[in-house]
Amino acid sequence: MSTRDGNAVADEHVFRSLLEHAGLCVASLDLGLRVVEANDDFVASFGDPTGRSFFDLLHPATHAPLRGQFERLLDGRRSRFVRRLAGIGPRGSVFPGDLTGIAVRGSAGQLALILIVVQPEKAETPANTLDRTRILTELDARILEGIAAGESTARLASRLFLSRQGVEYHVATMLKKLKAPNRVALISKAYSLGALSIASWPPKVSPDFVK
């Protein structure tokens, strides 16, 4: 692996090595962000992605923050990034994980493709032990739906007749309840638990999670 401007830049040899690494979900994207090649672990987690846009494999709630990161790879402002994601499995289930995107360059130094490595988050609790727990208040639910739809704190405060500090208080409470480090992880965790339905847009919290 070579370096450029202090950041790691993968070459094609490293890409091949990672693609064959068991336990990692690895795929290559062309410069239009369509999947060119994926290993068995990636297919097991996402289904057969060949020829599809990588964003087709992600929940819409995670599209906006990730698009900016990929744009920076494509225009050379970054050589890699690490972000949270909410992936969509082959049966429509949503799962959280960590995504690493890396610019892969050819022998002449030109951008050849984008390498993505996904580490799905392992479930911390047995299935269905949390997905029917009423852990949210009605106001929590409305704020969670707004965050998942991309609303800002100011917009949520105005719509729900709260102060910005009030919105932030409820967000902090939900971060603690769902054991999430930030808002993106909060949304990923909510989808993985079933609190937010993958079948609805704008996002909607299931009544089973509301006190």
Side-chain angles (χ1 to χ4, degrees), residues 155-192:
R155 168 63 179 160
L156 284 168
S158 175
R159 182 167 63 82
L160 298 173
F161 304 102
L162 295 170
S163 66
R164 295 183 64 167
Q165 291 78 9
V167 172
E168 293 295 348
Y169 170 79
H170 283 276
V171 172
T173 299
M174 287 189 284
L175 290 173
K176 184 176 180 180
K177 287 178 180 177
L178 274 67
K179 299 179 180 179
N182 52 51
R183 291 189 179 202
V184 174
L186 175 67
I187 298 306
S188 296
K189 193 71 171 288
Y191 276 113
S192 70

Side-chain angles (χ1 to χ4, degrees), residues 41 54 119 145 147 172:
D41 291 286
F54 180 58
Q119 293 181 291
E145 290 169 350
I147 294 172

Side-chain angles (χ1 to χ4, degrees), residues 64-107:
L66 288 176
R67 284 191 187 280
Q69 297 299 321
F70 278 108
E71 287 172 3
R72 291 178 178 88
L73 289 186
L74 291 169
D75 65 18
R77 284 180 289 165
R78 296 285 299 276
S79 58
R80 66 178 295 161
F81 68 84
V82 180
R83 285 292 185 273
R84 295 286 292 175
L85 61 69
I88 301 176
R91 296 183 180 180
S93 60
V94 178
F95 61 88
D98 292 314
L99 166 68
T100 300
I102 306 171
V104 177
R105 299 188 178 276
S107 57

Side-chain angles (χ1 to χ4, degrees), residues 192-206:
S192 70
L193 294 175
L196 286 166
S197 172
I198 188 175
S200 63
W201 187 264
K204 186 69 176 176
V205 170
S206 168

Side-chain angles (χ1 to χ4, degrees), residues 40-162:
D40 291 342
D41 291 286
F42 194 97
V43 173
S45 293
F46 292 93
D48 185 3
T50 306
R52 299 175 62 188
S53 167
F54 180 58
F55 286 95
D56 290 344
L57 311 177
L58 306 177
H59 193 275
T62 62
H63 285 191
L66 288 176
R67 284 191 187 280
Q69 297 299 321
F70 278 108
E71 287 172 3
R72 291 178 178 88
L73 289 186
L74 291 169
D75 65 18
R77 284 180 289 165
R78 296 285 299 276
S79 58
R80 66 178 295 161
F81 68 84
V82 180
R83 285 292 185 273
R84 295 286 292 175
L85 61 69
I88 301 176
R91 296 183 180 180
S93 60
V94 178
F95 61 88
D98 292 314
L99 166 68
T100 300
I102 306 171
V104 177
R105 299 188 178 276
S107 57
Q110 81 284 5
L111 181 62
L113 53 86
I114 303 296
L115 169 66
I116 54 173
V117 181
V118 178
Q119 293 181 291
E121 184 178 290
K122 294 181 180 179
E124 298 178 353
T125 57
N128 298 324
T129 58
L130 290 178
D131 62 355
R132 292 295 179 267
T133 301
R134 297 180 183 274
I135 56 177
L136 302 175
T137 67
E138 188 69 33
L139 196 51
D140 286 339
R142 302 292 81 79
I143 291 172
L144 185 63
E145 290 169 350
I147 294 172
E151 290 188 59
S152 66
T153 297
R155 168 63 179 160
L156 284 168
S158 175
R159 182 167 63 82
L160 298 173
F161 304 102
L162 295 170

